[in-house]
Amino acid sequence: MSEAAFIAGDWGTSRLRLYLCDARGSVLARGEGEGAAVPDCAGRFAAAVAAWDKAHGILPAVLGGMVGSTIGWKEVPYLNCPAKPQAIAGAALHVDAGGRAVAILPGLSCTGRTGAPDVMRGEETQILGAFRLHPDLARGRRLFCLPGTHAKWVAVQSGAVMDFQTALSGELFELLRRHSVLARDGGEVDSDSPALTHGLDLVRANPDADLLHLLFSTRARVVTGQMAKNDAASYLSGLVLGKDIATALKLFGRNGPVHLICTPQLAALYGRALNAYDVPFAAIDGDTAALAGLVHAHAEIFS
């Protein structure tokens, strides 16, 4: 068995995923913990890796995600774009945690295509991971989409994150689904549902219509009997995804495929929506990318 060399931690708001890695970045063991929003990150981290410390000694750690935010362990300032992989690793905050060398990665900031400020924290680690998993992605111009609560559309040139735009798509959908009349008790979202396609088609047929004017059609279709209530969530998802993608394509253009970094479930949804716009795509698992990014950062920081 390989010798343990470091600990990698993908530490989001709601959960912590830990990996005990050898020098090449292969995973020897995995652990979990509470998210960065829970107080005392330092104490909880020490408790979570105590068994590994006993077995392997105190190992250095590289952490990414919300652990570096105002609610995390230590706040790490955002790094301004354009940002190359080496700069992201170089901007890590170094913490001495009881004799353990800990590096906490920064987030990124930019002025988006609309002229408004934008920030990300955690997604940059997944992009680093995408470069490690697929080195060709660090060449030329690439467009990444990282779906989630706050979807990120990221323009990359020759391995540098140039700028990005955040869409409130995931959070907006959940708010509308749970707390509005549009799709309450409206079933589960199904990426293969014809209702989702109907939502996408309405957005495509009305490119100048604001999303606010399209959303109520979810309710209207149900009460007029044109759509079953159980299809409402899928239809609403089609509206939100369609508008997100249509806006992103206007902002970033259609040059080449969109590289999705996310869960398989979100890849299926966004893939269906991208197909509706005749945009090719490729998907990378988000957890796999996050780990690969942390491994990449460890090599840059501790080599």
Side-chain angles (χ1 to χ4, degrees), residues 211-298:
L211 181 61
L212 294 176
H213 294 287
L214 300 175
L215 288 173
F216 192 73
S217 65
T218 309
R219 173 70 172 166
R221 284 182 183 271
V222 172
V223 299
T224 60
Q226 296 182 36
M227 181 172 68
K229 185 177 182 180
N230 202 50
D231 290 332
S234 293
Y235 177 81
L236 177 63
S237 178
L239 293 177
V240 174
L241 290 181
K243 203 63 179 179
D244 181 12
I245 289 171
T247 300
L249 294 178
K250 286 182 180 180
L251 291 172
F252 293 98
R254 288 174 169 262
N255 298 322
V258 171
H259 299 276
L260 297 171
I261 304 178
C262 55
T263 65
Q265 294 81 6
L266 283 173
L269 280 173
Y270 269 77
R272 178 73 176 276
L274 287 165
N275 280 336
Y277 282 86
D278 298 319
V279 176
F281 69 93
I284 301 171
D285 179 76
D287 288 351
T288 302
L291 173 59
L294 292 166
V295 170
H296 177 100
H298 171 264

Side-chain angles (χ1 to χ4, degrees), residues 12-91:
T13 303
S14 58
R15 65 173 178 164
L16 164 64
R17 286 161 292 183
L18 288 167
Y19 308 91
L20 180 68
C21 300
D22 66 14
R24 298 179 62 183
S26 298
V27 176
L28 306 178
R30 299 170 186 261
E32 294 184 351
E34 296 176 299
V38 179
D40 190 21
C41 287
R44 289 188 290 109
F45 179 81
V49 302
W52 293 347
D53 288 348
K54 185 175 181 180
H56 306 284
I58 303 223
L59 299 172
V62 58
L63 307 176
M66 292 299 288
V67 64
S69 71
T70 55
I71 65 171
W73 187 340
K74 294 281 187 179
E75 184 178 2
V76 186
Y78 290 106
L79 178 66
N80 291 329
C81 290
K84 294 185 176 181
Q86 303 92 320
I88 295 173

